[in-house]
Amino acid sequence: MTHQIHIIGGGMAGSEAAWQLARRGFRVRLSEMRGSGETTAAHQGDGLAELVCSNSFRSDDDEKNAVGLLHHEMRRCDSLIMAAADKARVPAGSALAVDRDVFSAAVEAALRELPNLEVVRERVDALPAEGMTIVATGPLTAASLASSIGTATGAESLAFFDAIAPIVYHDSIDMDVCWMASRWDKAAGPESTGKDYINCPMNKEQYQAFRQGLLDGDKTVFKEWEANTPYFDGCMPIEVMAERGEDTLRFGPMKPVGLDDPRTGRWPYAVVQLRQDNKLGTLWNMVGFQTKLKHAEQVRLFRTIPGLENAEFARLGGLHRNTFIHSPTLLDRQLRLKSAPRIRFAGQITGCEGYVESASVGMLAGLMAAAELAGRPWTPPPVTTALGALLGHITGDAEADTYQPMNVNFGLFPPVDPSVKKKVRKEAYTTRAKADFGPWLETLA
């Protein structure tokens, strides 16, 4: 099949871009190197849109949360990623979490049903010399292609470290010590019961010993050239948080607020939470426990957590180096490389951060390319919407000198009327966004 557009990368962004283009009748070649004998430091298999870190798409609240609003807007755009996530949903309180295998399979099945989409398992070593292209290779771009991108952009890619949390087998957790609850027993979503997390309680002495173990534990040693590479705060290794102060973890991933231990009727001093990772409920990931501890040290230390003394791990934590381009200076407002406008970039390689953000930028790149191929003018989403705010940040509104990976948040939106009271300000952002989103949606074909 002769393609009209070439998409490089079959992750969240590439899969979404391919869906938006192919379902509009355009001929798409989607290249994914996994499955061709190649892999990355973080992927476990070769499925399209494989989730390599958490299984959470974060909050699904579209009234008070920016990422929940992004979910809402993507669903209205017939997002494949959101449809697959809804199909693969597992209980996670007010968050949208998925069975990662069901999710990936749903994405791949939907794409393979499109007759004008060709999925090719191949490694692409250089930017194509001609033709419309979307580069959606993500933060784990192969070295050869990264070198080609560096040559084309005339600038070195920035880099940061991203960490992966461990996954525990449910039948190895001591439920006589742990209990099921969501914070404040808050239920959200059709799969939620209000008791969606496994909670492992710690008293003060246990917490302090655990924190000291994080500080003293045997960790990955980086090469000299990696020594000054920053971490992205959204995936901060737990031992790095521990270094920031005695109570940093208790105000972060080990926060006990709103979690009554049924054995005492009180909040513990600290809590380790586990979130369901698959539909069967056999796998549970340790929330916020991304780590650079060596594997043997993880097993030893994490088994000191009450309730996890006999824990068996389906996957241990890890660390990998992510790369992204300096989008505010390199890309135009349609995600096109200024020096070569036939090439668009999408997903985490642009400097957005998070599964949903990556997919949303892939969706926008696909919609932009579809408009260009059809000879139609492109109307950008309003900056008052989640899609518009995120796109604006990536393509020029961010401070170029300090550009770093960013999740969607209300700080990217134009301020609402200052007379709006603080307690309802989030609802003001989402109400305004939804009002502005409808007319823009009508401009799409």
Side-chain angles (χ1 to χ4, degrees):
M1 179 177 67
T2 303
H3 60 270
Q4 294 171 279
I5 185 164
H6 187 185
I7 300 175
I8 307 173
M12 302 286 279
S15 295
E16 184 67 50
W19 168 258
Q20 295 294 339
L21 281 154
R23 75 181 191 87
R24 286 173 168 80
F26 299 106
R27 299 186 302 278
V28 180
R29 180 185 184 93
L30 177 60
S31 297
E32 169 54 52
M33 74 174 186
R34 290 175 299 114
S36 68
E38 302 283 343
T39 189
T40 73
H43 286 89
Q44 302 293 309
D46 58 10
L48 298 179
E50 179 186 333
L51 306 182
V52 299
C53 188
S54 167
N55 72 322
S56 175
F57 285 34
R58 312 195 319 280
S59 175
D60 204 32
D61 179 356
D62 63 10
E63 295 183 354
K64 298 181 180 180
N65 190 282
V67 73
L69 176 64
L70 187 58
H71 291 180
H72 169 82
E73 293 177 2
M74 291 177 68
R75 287 184 177 112
R76 293 196 66 187
C77 291
D78 191 26
S79 163
L80 171 61
I81 293 301
M82 291 308 302
D86 289 335
K87 181 177 180 179
R89 188 169 194 149
V90 297
S94 60
L96 171 58
V98 304
D99 180 312
R100 60 186 77 221
D101 293 331
V102 173
F103 170 77
S104 176
V107 171
E108 185 149 353
L111 290 176
R112 291 195 177 278
E113 288 180 357
L114 297 170
N116 51 328
L117 171 63
E118 181 183 21
V119 178
V120 184
R121 299 293 183 159
E122 61 180 354
R123 190 182 75 189
V124 177
D125 290 326
L127 292 173
E130 59 184 17
M132 191 181 294
T133 302
I134 296 176
V135 180
T137 47
L140 300 173
T141 302
S144 54
L145 182 57
S147 176
S148 177
I149 293 170
T151 300
T153 59
E156 293 184 0
S157 291
L158 303 175
F160 66 100
F161 283 124
D162 202 0
I164 297 172
I167 294 177
V168 180
Y169 288 106
H170 181 273
D171 61 8
S172 69
I173 301 170
D174 187 350
M175 295 305 295
D176 289 333
V177 174
C178 306
W179 80 99
M180 298 289 300
S182 297
R183 203 172 304 280
W184 307 111
D185 286 333
K186 182 178 179 181
E191 301 294 329
S192 176
T193 66
K195 299 183 181 298
D196 296 334
Y197 292 80
I198 294 176
N199 299 277
C200 308
M202 283 187 176
N203 59 33
K204 183 174 182 179
E205 292 72 23
Q206 290 167 330
Y207 170 80
Q208 291 176 334
F210 180 76
R211 176 177 176 267
Q212 192 62 48
L214 290 172
L215 298 176
D216 297 340
D218 195 11
K219 303 173 184 70
T220 303
V221 178
F222 304 125
K223 299 175 183 177
E224 183 178 353
W225 60 269
E226 295 174 318
N228 295 319
T229 302
Y231 295 106
F232 170 63
D233 282 344
C235 286
M236 182 75 65
I238 191 168
E239 59 274 7
V240 175
M241 285 188 276
E243 293 169 356
R244 295 187 170 185
E246 182 172 335
D247 290 322
T248 301
L249 294 172
R250 294 184 61 242
F251 288 93
M254 298 179 69
K255 181 170 63 176
V257 175
L259 295 167
D260 295 324
D261 186 337
R263 297 181 303 172
T264 65
R266 303 180 63 184
W267 299 346
Y269 189 78
V271 169
V272 175
Q273 288 195 303
L274 292 92
R275 179 178 54 232
Q276 187 172 331
D277 203 80
N278 65 346
K279 285 276 191 182
L280 294 175
T282 56
L283 301 176
W284 291 70
N285 67 65
M286 300 177 69
V287 177
F289 266 56
Q290 297 87 356
T291 181
K292 61 176 181 174
L293 289 170
K294 290 188 175 179
H295 283 183
E297 193 69 5
Q298 290 181 49
V299 173
R300 184 196 68 76
L301 183 60
F302 294 159
R303 284 180 176 167
T304 68
I305 297 170
L308 300 186
E309 292 88 349
N310 298 307
E312 297 293 335
F313 297 90
R315 183 188 72 188
L316 289 164
L319 191 72
H320 53 274
R321 184 175 184 266
N322 286 352
T323 58
F324 60 96
I325 63 173
H326 202 265
S327 296
T329 58
L330 295 172
L331 304 183
D332 69 11
R333 292 292 186 171
Q334 290 197 41
L335 298 169
R336 295 176 297 204
L337 192 60
K338 293 177 182 178
S339 60
R342 62 183 179 79
I343 298 174
R344 280 183 169 84
F345 284 82
Q348 283 188 259
I349 197 169
T350 66
C352 66
E353 177 60 24
Y355 293 144
V356 183
E357 290 87 341
S358 178
S360 71
V361 177
M363 183 179 75
L364 287 170
L367 293 171
M368 291 168 178
E372 186 173 341
L373 286 167
R376 291 186 291 100
W378 165 254
T379 301
V383 294
T384 52
T385 65
L387 285 170
L390 185 61
L391 178 64
H393 175 79
I394 291 169
T395 59
D397 294 346
E399 181 62 48
D401 291 342
T402 57
Y403 186 62
Q404 284 289 313
M406 181 68 71
N407 293 121
V408 68
N409 63 82
F410 288 127
L412 303 182
F413 293 59
V416 295
D417 189 319
S419 66
V420 175
K421 293 182 179 180
K422 186 175 181 179
K423 66 179 181 179
V424 294
R425 197 164 294 163
K426 293 177 180 177
E427 292 95 322
Y429 277 110
T430 59
T431 299
R432 181 184 66 178
K434 291 173 183 177
D436 293 347
F437 191 78
W440 174 78
L441 192 61
E442 294 177 0
T443 70
L444 301 182

